[in-house]
Amino acid sequence: MIHQFIKGTTETTLVLLHGTGGTEQDLIPLARELSTEVNILTLRGDVLENGMSRFFRRHAEGVLDLEDLKKQTERFLTFLDEAAAKYGVARDKMIPLGYSNGANLIGSALYRDNAFKASLLFHPMVPDRSLTLPYLTGATVFISAGERDPICPKQETEELTSTLREAGADVELFYHGGGHELRMEEVEAARAWVVPLID
Ligand code: MLT
């Protein structure tokens, strides 16, 4: 997968996944707001939709291609194992951080595999309603969303949150008053949540 690794001074690595039309550079400033010391592994989706980079295909806005999502989720998890070995970082200290399309890939990984102890999902959707979550006790998830987000409606954020909680995950949910855009207030909430988890 197209990516960049930036070595920091911690054992923790933030794994960054951008939204539709983004690049691997987009979320680096946000990650640096969370920690100036953490390792960063940042990915660029190589599924192109009218020239826009994504991490998996979709049939229309909000209508995910579940077969491709499954394939790309497996590919993502394999890539992380390989990257951990290549860059000499601990796979179990990787904290993925995704926005929108990137958050949906991370959400999908949580459904298929108890893949991460901690994850940050900015404006995620329910990835695949046909799947049942594994037992997620010990996993912690930060979710942020916009109260009036037309792409990820509040009802869907609530559904994802309660589904994760029912599976045993500890979920912190933060809303801002706007739509699908990332706002500084959710970055600040994410920082307060993630800093104690970085080592
Ligand atoms: C997706 O396709 O993952 C969602 O519609 C979010 C997005 O617009 O990227």
Side-chain angles (χ1 to χ4, degrees):
M1 296 184 76
I2 305 163
H3 68 281
Q4 183 184 353
F5 177 72
I6 305 167
K7 180 94 189 91
T9 54
T10 61
E11 290 183 22
T12 302
T13 303
L14 283 179
V15 179
L16 311 182
L17 294 97
H18 60 77
T20 299
T23 77
E24 72 282 12
Q25 302 302 314
D26 288 14
L27 294 174
I28 297 174
L30 189 161
R32 283 295 175 232
E33 288 287 340
L34 304 187
S35 165
T36 52
E37 276 126 45
V38 76
N39 301 315
I40 291 176
L41 177 63
T42 184
L43 277 61
R44 184 192 299 196
D46 55 10
V47 171
L48 291 181
E49 181 188 280
N50 301 322
M52 295 186 296
S53 296
R54 292 176 47 87
F55 289 98
F56 56 88
R57 292 199 191 103
R58 63 179 165 182
H59 300 298
E61 189 164 285
V63 187
L64 312 184
D65 178 334
L66 298 181
E67 236 172 77
D68 193 52
L69 177 57
K70 177 177 192 301
K71 193 177 92 190
Q72 298 292 351
T73 302
E74 285 162 6
R75 185 172 163 232
F76 170 55
L77 291 170
T78 303
F79 168 77
L80 293 185
D81 289 341
E82 290 167 3
K86 178 172 176 190
Y87 296 113
V89 296
R91 169 63 186 84
D92 64 353
K93 291 195 191 261
M94 287 184 172
I95 301 181
L97 179 167
Y99 169 61
S100 189
N101 181 245
N104 291 342
L105 189 75
I106 299 165
S108 170
L110 291 176
Y111 269 77
R112 281 161 219 283
D113 193 346
N114 195 348
F116 304 105
K117 287 187 186 143
S119 319
L120 294 120
L121 308 179
F122 291 92
H123 303 248
M125 296 165 59
V126 176
D128 182 347
R129 288 190 172 80
S130 72
L131 299 175
T132 307
L133 278 166
Y135 198 51
L136 288 178
T137 300
T140 178
V141 183
F142 174 91
I143 294 178
S144 70
E147 296 259 5
R148 289 189 296 275
D149 187 338
I151 297 172
C152 307
K154 187 167 182 188
Q155 200 185 345
E156 185 153 354
T157 309
E158 297 288 326
E159 181 187 344
L160 179 63
T161 301
S162 57
T163 310
L164 288 164
R165 283 183 179 149
E166 277 156 27
D170 181 7
V171 183
E172 172 141 335
L173 176 58
F174 179 90
Y175 283 108
H176 68 52
H180 201 57
E181 77 282 5
L182 271 171
R183 290 192 175 177
M184 201 57 207
E185 56 206 272
E186 64 197 295
V187 175
E188 279 158 12
R191 184 200 297 128
W193 180 86
V194 81
V195 163
L197 303 174
I198 294 175
D199 56 19

